[in-house]
Amino acid sequence: MASTADFKNGLCIEFNNDIFQIIEFQHVKPGKGPAFVRTKLKSIRSGKVIDNTFTAGHKVTTARIERRQHQYSYADDMGFHFMDTTTWEEVALPGEQVPNNDLLQDGMNVDILFHAEVEEVVGCELAQFVELEVTYTEPGIKGDTATNTLKPATVETGANIMVPLFVNQGDVIKVNTMDRSYSERVKK
């Protein structure tokens, strides 16, 4: 158990029959009335973000989440299959539990999240950045660099990413997996 005084970013709590991670929080002491804590919580299972207010001193149940490194193997009708790099055990996750699954490459390392008390798989996290080759994009118009214009590009995994005009077919780019945005061009 933890109280609102123990809140910190990244703390995982059990709330409304789900496991949430505290993204941000703010202690508020108004001039009139009791103190309270405003929080922004992200569901580990679904990825949904909710706002919630706790009264100061409210007790919550903490959840111990372990991150274990796994390697992506393949996808089929059962979902996405990952292999533990230390025990060689395989874990299958449905597509809903693997965010941005169209950015996965064979052999890519990911973190599988386990609820430690019950040994239940609750989610998957990709590395923050992945390097992918652009397989198709329209050529940029020479001299059209006055604005910060983006164009669609298809990468080797089949995902569509918005990239700047100077990116060409065959370039390797770094993609942020959190918001699917172009980060930079990778030099070979």
Side-chain angles (χ1 to χ4, degrees), residues 6-96:
D6 300 322
F7 280 4
K8 61 184 176 193
N9 291 343
L11 179 71
C12 293
I13 62 172
E14 293 179 13
F15 178 68
N16 286 351
N17 298 324
D18 200 357
I19 298 174
F20 288 92
Q21 182 177 26
I22 297 175
I23 297 173
E24 62 182 58
F25 68 98
Q26 177 184 19
H27 288 276
V28 178
K29 175 76 173 102
K32 195 177 204 181
F36 57 90
V37 179
R38 278 192 196 113
T39 59
K40 198 171 270 197
L41 305 170
K42 179 180 179 183
S43 172
I44 297 286
R45 290 188 175 106
S46 67
K48 292 182 181 176
V49 177
I50 63 169
D51 294 321
N52 192 54
T53 303
F54 296 98
T55 57
H58 182 79
K59 300 279 187 200
V60 293
T61 305
T62 57
R64 199 174 95 226
I65 302 296
E66 291 181 357
R67 292 174 178 350
R68 299 180 191 158
Q69 193 167 69
H70 285 64
Q71 189 175 47
Y72 173 63
S73 299
Y74 62 95
D76 63 8
D77 298 343
M78 301 290 290
F80 294 87
H81 296 264
F82 300 92
M83 180 183 62
D84 190 327
T85 54
T86 56
T87 63
W88 305 98
E89 291 180 14
E90 192 173 281
V91 174
L93 293 175
E96 312 81 66

